Amino acid sequence: MLKRVALMSKCLVLVLPFLLAAALPASAAVKASDVIERAIDGFVRPAYASLDEHAAGLARAMHQLCEAPSEINLEAARSAFSGTVEAWSVAEIIAFGPIKENNRLERMLYWPDRKSIGLRQVQATLASKDPSATDPVQLAQKSVAMQGLGALEYVLYGDGAETLAGKDEPYLCAYGEAVAGNVETMAGEVRDAWQKPDGFASLWAHPGPKNPLYRDGNEAVTELVGVFINELDMIRDVRL
């Protein structure tokens, strides 16, 4: 299971101010757009920017490990992986918007995997040494269960992971590097999507009758409150 560092407390500390703002009475004259913009600028964009930064570092660490296998580089890759998981643990409560497009949410982390489908697919790929799985572009078209953080966790910590410190199993490292590259691509796409002036952030922050997603301020704020009612409960009950 992925290691999560103080997930619930971090999310509460970072997002609670926005929930409190959303709960202010009408007499406080707080506009829905103001609340949403504060949430986007104060939490969502920084969270996905952090994920992108860590994912880029993870991709570099995996590349270095494959180029020069060693215990030091293996530990560096594992450290970069842990940092990326922690960054994802903060960002994943915003489980709507760009992260939902193109199955990115499931591709980033396929969990829970109660029937171990992902594990079996990863093991089968490693056993067959499918060359297409070492190409991030082709890997992105495969099963969601074998192209995200769960798959990379198996590469770095599962059976045979110790061989990454040597040159005996180059395919294992090549597959891990492809997974890391895929994670980096998704993180960058989501970060860029949240930054677009005319993208999802604008739709969320400017509800109205002509808005295809949020017809009024209540719908927009309800999405934010739902982060606590739905997403944090899901993480507590399913992830932890």
Side-chain angles (χ1 to χ4, degrees), residues 82-105:
S82 295
T84 303
V85 169
E86 184 174 349
W88 171 243
S89 297
V90 174
E92 72 166 328
I93 64 168
I94 307 299
F96 55 89
I99 193 65
K100 289 289 287 183
E101 298 172 3
N102 300 319
N103 295 318
R104 291 190 188 107
L105 184 63

Side-chain angles (χ1 to χ4, degrees), residues 2 4 85 88 92 103-112 144-145 147-151 153 186 239:
L2 290 171
R4 297 177 178 276
V85 169
W88 171 243
E92 72 166 328
N103 295 318
R104 291 190 188 107
L105 184 63
E106 294 78 14
R107 289 166 57 207
M108 185 69 75
L109 177 59
Y110 182 71
W111 187 268
V144 298
Q147 55 174 289
L149 294 171
E153 181 186 38
M186 288 189 289
R239 297 275 203 249

Side-chain angles (χ1 to χ4, degrees), residues 14-39:
L14 289 168
V15 189
L16 186 57
F18 304 118
L19 179 65
L20 294 177
L24 288 174
S27 59
V30 176
K31 294 182 180 179
S33 58
D34 293 337
V35 173
I36 301 305
E37 285 177 352
R38 288 174 59 194

Side-chain angles (χ1 to χ4, degrees), residues 36 39-41 43-49 91 93-101 104 186-205 214 223:
I36 301 305
I40 292 171
D41 292 336
F43 176 72
V44 179
R45 282 173 173 159
Y48 276 110
I93 64 168
I94 307 299
F96 55 89
I99 193 65
K100 289 289 287 183
E101 298 172 3
R104 291 190 188 107
M186 288 189 289
E189 289 172 345
V190 175
R191 178 210 60 195
D192 291 347
W194 276 106
Q195 294 291 342
K196 287 180 62 176
D198 58 346
F200 180 84
S202 179
L203 288 173
W204 190 23
Y214 304 101
E223 185 83 90

Side-chain angles (χ1 to χ4, degrees), residues 43 48 59 64 72 75 85 87 95 99 125 128 131 142 163 178 185 192 199 213 218 236-237:
F43 176 72
Y48 276 110
Q64 181 63 25
I72 292 176
E75 287 308 309
V85 169
I99 193 65
T125 297
S128 67
K142 295 182 181 294
T163 64
T185 296
D192 291 347
L213 298 179
N218 287 335
R236 181 198 63 198
D237 297 339

